[in-house]
Amino acid sequence: MQNVTLHVEGMSCGHCVNSVESALKNIGAKGQVELSTKTVQVQFDEGKLTLEAIKETIEEQGYDVV
């Protein structure tokens, strides 16, 4: 398992947290959003997912991974 921290712009509320965490769960990753730092801690199996796929999933929810 790999752990990464991504800086994500545009998140501001509980809906944002649920949206990102649910989307990550749907692709097989575990995400934990921290609104105060605008970060997402992501744990995933690098044999099944790529970092690029994770970034795309977050961006599909309407947020910017920077």
Side-chain angles (χ1 to χ4, degrees):
M1 291 296 242
Q2 184 169 343
N3 293 299
V4 295
T5 301
L6 300 173
H7 184 78
V8 180
E9 291 290 332
M11 301 182 301
S12 61
C13 64
H15 173 75
C16 300
V17 171
N18 291 336
S19 177
V20 170
E21 290 180 354
S22 293
L24 290 171
K25 183 177 179 182
N26 287 340
I27 64 166
K30 181 179 178 185
Q32 184 174 0
V33 174
E34 181 57 55
L35 285 177
S36 63
T37 59
K38 297 181 180 175
T39 59
V40 181
Q41 300 282 336
V42 184
Q43 183 179 33
F44 65 100
D45 181 345
E46 61 273 16
K48 296 180 181 177
L49 285 173
T50 64
L51 186 56
E52 189 59 37
I54 290 168
K55 289 178 181 180
E56 286 176 11
T57 297
I58 294 170
E59 290 175 348
E60 286 171 359
Q61 301 306 306
Y63 309 105
D64 295 318
V65 179
V66 293

